[in-house]
Amino acid sequence: MEKKEKIVLAYSGGLDTSVAIKWLMDKGYDVVCYMADVGQGKDVENARKRALSIGASKCIVADLRERFIKEYVFPTLKAGAKYQGKYNMATSLSRPIIAADMIEIAKKEKAVAIAHGCTGKGNDQVRFEVTFHIKAPNLKVIAPVREWELKTREDEIEYAKKHNIPIEQTKKKIFSIDHNLWGTSVEGGSLEDPCNEPAVETYITIVKPESAPNKAEYVTVTFKKGIPIAINGKTYEPLVLIDKLNKMGAKHGIGRVDMIEDRLVGIKSREIYEAPASEILYSAHTSLEELVLDRETRRYKDDLSRRYAELVYYGLWFTPLREAFDAFIDKTSERVNGDVKLKLYKGQVIVAGRKSPDSRYQLKLATYGEGDVFDQSLAKGFISLWAMPYKE
Ligand code: ARG
């Protein structure tokens, strides 16, 4: 018998990609499933068994959690990047690492093609495929959900039944949820009307702020070169540190974003995000930078944060521009050392104090009390020169 050509499919265990296994098999492929663990917390073992029972010849599971945090999340945190000023890009950041690892698997497996389960309306297809194009231009890319005739979820469920594809739940899925260590994205259902207040079912990982404890909790985060290394004076590995802050923040209803977002493909969409650890760390990191960076560096870095976010959101992780941005951020991060004390209270992160060995704050200049060394007589000449070009 002629040997079938291999395809590596990014498999999530859900309906779309389960149906995609069968659909690709019918196209004549030997399907190798690939599952990346980025902390989505789903039952990976069951999903793996399901892939094999549908007919995948293999299902490879890769634990990318630590690399995801160290190589993708922390550089983005250091850059202060949030898309449109609000979204920490938990989903966006997971795509390039998954895509790059899939390529390695495809090479090992001697696959000729690679596939994903994204639709033609979203950003994730772009992030996957741009990475495929950059790193493995010779691999054929197939996006079954974009190509097949199954128009609705009901059509897919019908197809699954007809082909004995085991699926977890057949009842209508209300929201589309993507979850990893760095955050949760929720879209669809009643959220599609921007006027609707999000229902309680859209709270996936955190409590509603009004149900959070009445007593505030304080937490101190220590940074070294812009990277969080300790909580309340105790050093933790990145995964443990994020997990602890996620739990702490979730208890206080912290890290929810409700926004209308502009997708790369031109659609506006209503998105809910939950990212408790991220919210705590961004607040802490920003307030430490206020203390240690000079005014012009801060100003320049602010512009770069926005550009960095767009680059990540648009799927351009593996580009020389991102490397150049990182070089700049690494330089400015040299001074981002110290402790930030935060108060967590009913959905809010309130910075309560900050200190740094690299602080640029000088009490002897700022004080209105004892020990003032600022020469006020210099101000007169300075102001006169400052206004000079505009004098009439
Ligand atoms: N809009 C976000 C992004 O482009 C999240 C997409 C998440 N996907 C989902 N199934 N909820 O990064």
Side-chain angles (χ1 to χ4, degrees):
M1 203 178 81
E2 199 193 323
K3 235 177 130 220
K4 287 183 175 164
E5 287 188 320
K6 267 193 195 172
I7 188 163
V8 177
L9 166 69
Y11 184 64
S12 72
L15 178 64
D16 288 340
T17 50
S18 293
V19 168
I21 297 177
K22 174 76 179 123
W23 188 85
L24 289 166
M25 285 167 59
D26 286 349
K27 293 262 175 250
Y29 285 108
D30 168 1
V31 181
V32 173
C33 285
Y34 169 88
M35 294 184 78
D37 182 0
V38 282
Q40 60 271 52
K42 281 190 205 143
D43 188 345
V44 173
E45 191 39 39
N46 262 337
R48 208 181 70 84
K49 283 192 191 132
R50 190 172 323 131
L52 297 175
S53 79
I54 298 167
S57 62
K58 237 186 218 180
C59 184
I60 297 164
V61 181
D63 183 355
L64 303 181
R65 290 173 305 160
E66 192 164 333
R67 283 190 50 219
F68 177 52
I69 294 298
K70 285 189 179 164
E71 297 171 29
Y72 294 75
V73 166
F74 282 170
T76 305
L77 169 68
K78 275 161 69 180
K82 284 189 181 176
Y83 183 62
Q84 298 190 317
K86 288 172 120 179
Y87 168 37
N88 80 342
M89 304 182 292
T91 297
S92 333
L93 282 165
S94 70
R95 300 316 186 210
I97 185 174
I98 294 172
D101 202 47
M102 277 179 84
I103 291 167
E104 293 307 312
I105 300 294
K107 284 182 185 156
K108 269 191 213 132
E109 294 290 328
K110 300 199 171 34
V112 299
I114 202 153
H116 61 75
C118 307
T119 78
K121 292 176 78 168
N123 298 307
D124 287 334
Q125 54 173 347
V126 181
R127 298 168 186 147
F128 273 116
E129 290 180 39
V130 164
T131 305
F132 298 154
H133 287 313
I134 293 173
K135 287 191 166 284
N138 296 327
L139 280 178
K140 187 171 174 203
V141 180
I142 301 186
V145 179
R146 223 163 46 194
E147 294 173 27
W148 64 33
E149 288 300 304
L150 310 166
K151 290 275 170 268
T152 63
R153 199 171 163 78
E154 286 68 30
D155 292 347
E156 285 185 43
I157 292 171
E158 257 328 289
Y159 182 98
K161 279 192 187 141
K162 203 168 120 204
H163 295 94
N164 288 323
I165 297 169
I167 46 175
E168 239 160 29
Q169 31 115 314
T170 48
K171 60 176 185 311
K172 193 139 176 63
K173 204 175 90 170
I174 306 171
F175 301 104
S176 162
I177 298 168
D178 184 69
H179 173 70
N180 67 43
L181 283 168
W182 196 229
T184 307
S185 311
V186 191
E187 50 189 34
S190 54
L191 294 170
E192 286 183 356
D193 183 344
C195 195
N196 285 342
E197 183 178 1
V200 67
E201 301 84 62
T202 65
Y203 284 77
I204 312 297
T205 61
I206 69 171
V207 302
K208 281 187 99 165
E210 45 269 63
S211 321
N214 289 325
K215 201 170 168 298
E217 181 174 353
Y218 285 89
V219 58
T220 299
V221 182
T222 306
F223 287 85
K224 195 173 167 198
K225 295 193 173 177
I227 287 174
I229 54 161
I231 304 172
N232 296 331
K234 246 186 110 180
T235 307
Y236 294 104
E237 285 301 313
L239 286 181
V240 182
L241 184 133
I242 303 282
D243 183 54
K244 281 191 180 296
L245 291 179
N246 267 334
K247 289 193 175 122
M248 225 181 256
K251 191 171 99 191
H252 290 278
I254 280 161
R256 246 183 87 106
V257 169
D258 179 345
M259 70 188 282
I260 304 296
E261 172 178 307
D262 290 286
R263 288 190 193 163
L264 182 54
V265 293
I267 300 171
K268 275 195 188 291
S269 68
R270 164 76 166 302
E271 304 278 342
I272 297 288
Y273 297 112
E274 289 177 3
S278 166
E279 184 62 24
I280 295 171
L281 290 172
Y282 268 85
S283 301
H285 184 268
T286 307
S287 77
L288 193 55
E289 282 194 333
E290 289 170 6
L291 192 66
V292 301
L293 297 183
D294 64 89
R295 180 180 64 200
E296 295 309 304
T297 304
R298 273 178 75 186
R299 174 68 185 81
Y300 199 88
K301 213 206 128 192
D302 271 355
D303 288 345
L304 197 125
S305 298
R306 180 177 287 263
R307 295 299 299 268
Y308 198 104
E310 286 165 358
L311 179 145
V312 171
Y313 190 85
Y314 299 163
L316 301 175
W317 184 266
F318 292 107
T319 56
L321 183 59
R322 201 262 309 158
E323 288 177 28
F325 282 174
D326 278 339
F328 178 90
I329 301 292
D330 283 345
K331 181 67 196 166
T332 61
S333 295
E334 282 173 4
R335 299 182 68 92
V336 187
N337 306 304
D339 295 337
V340 182
K341 187 174 164 194
L342 308 130
K343 183 160 127 178
L344 314 180
Y345 182 64
K346 291 201 181 285
Q348 284 191 73
V349 183
I350 302 153
V351 176
R354 65 292 263 167
K355 66 168 187 243
S356 168
D358 297 290
S359 172
R360 285 195 182 274
Y361 183 88
Q362 294 197 50
L363 186 63
K364 64 179 194 285
L365 294 179
T367 185
Y368 288 101
E370 282 296 306
D372 180 12
V373 300
F374 187 86
D375 182 352
Q376 299 206 24
S377 69
L378 295 175
K380 194 170 176 233
F382 164 75
I383 297 165
S384 175
L385 293 178
W386 186 239
M388 197 164 64
Y390 317 107
K391 281 181 190 163
E392 287 181 359

